């Protein structure tokens, strides 16, 4: 049986870290791009999709919830769980406003990036009257 030394372990950890960072950046870019398309349907400036915290804040507002709820994620343990629950509730409302049935929120729960891609590139028009009214300075069309 062959054992590896510290140098090999360090090289592995460095390679793993680099690959993880590259995948993380790629995922962030993809999510921001999808949010940008969803925000465009709701007449929200595209730059808000690319700014951390602001994109979460605006997503919650489009779903009809106060944007400050995304700050719950900063509270250890329970706060993060509550933030995820409110994001799922907002996704449900956004899906309704884009003409999707309630069951689509299940896709958001398990594969949110796929849900965002479908919402971003569907032909559906934003109809704020189909769900909770959106909050925030920009008011999407009714």
């Amino acid at each position: 049986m062959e054992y590896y030394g510290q140098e090999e372990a360090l090289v592995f950890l460095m390679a793993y870290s680099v690959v993880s960072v590259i995948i993380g950046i790629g995922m962030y870019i993809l999510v921001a791009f999808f949010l940008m398309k969803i925000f465009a349907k709701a007449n929200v400036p595209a730059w808000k999709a690319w700014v951390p915290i602001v994109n979460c804040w605006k997503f919650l507002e489009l779903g009809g919830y106060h944007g400050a709820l995304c700050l719950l994620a900063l509270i250890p343990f329970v706060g993060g769980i509550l933030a995820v629950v409110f994001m799922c509730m907002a996704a449900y409302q956004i899906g309704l406003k884009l003409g999707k049935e309630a069951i689509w929120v299940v896709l958001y729960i398990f594969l949110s990036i796929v849900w965002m891609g479908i919402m971003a590139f569907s032909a559906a028009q934003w109809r704020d009257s189909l769900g909770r009214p959106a909050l925030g300075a920009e008011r999407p069309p009714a």
Side-chain angles (χ1 to χ4, degrees):
M1 182 174 224
E2 185 177 345
Y3 292 99
Y4 295 101
Q6 289 181 343
E7 294 83 20
E8 289 86 359
L10 184 59
V11 168
F12 172 77
L13 288 176
M14 295 280 288
Y16 183 80
S17 298
V18 168
V19 170
S20 296
V21 167
I22 291 170
I23 290 172
I25 290 171
M27 293 295 285
Y28 179 80
I29 290 170
L30 193 58
V31 166
F33 179 72
F34 289 159
L35 282 177
M36 180 181 74
K37 294 292 190 183
I38 293 170
F39 287 2
K41 289 182 179 193
N43 290 335
V44 174
W47 67 267
K48 291 188 177 189
W50 294 92
V51 181
I53 307 295
V54 174
N55 57 15
C56 173
W57 192 289
K58 197 65 204 169
F59 188 84
L60 285 166
E61 286 185 342
L62 287 176
Y65 299 96
H66 197 284
L69 291 170
C70 71
L71 299 177
L72 287 171
L74 302 175
I75 301 170
F77 306 115
V78 176
I81 294 169
L82 286 175
V84 168
V85 168
F86 279 109
M87 291 294 287
C88 291
M89 290 167 50
Y92 167 73
Q93 293 296 326
I94 290 170
L96 291 177
K97 294 173 187 185
L98 289 172
K100 303 295 183 201
E101 288 97 23
I103 194 69
W104 280 85
V105 77
V106 175
L107 181 61
Y108 179 84
I109 292 168
F110 293 107
L111 291 169
S112 59
I113 196 162
V114 174
W115 180 90
M116 287 181 192
I118 291 170
M119 297 300 150
F121 291 105
S122 71
Q125 298 295 317
W126 184 269
R127 291 181 294 181
D128 202 46
S129 61
L130 294 179
R132 285 176 64 127
L135 306 175
E138 303 94 10
R139 294 299 304 225

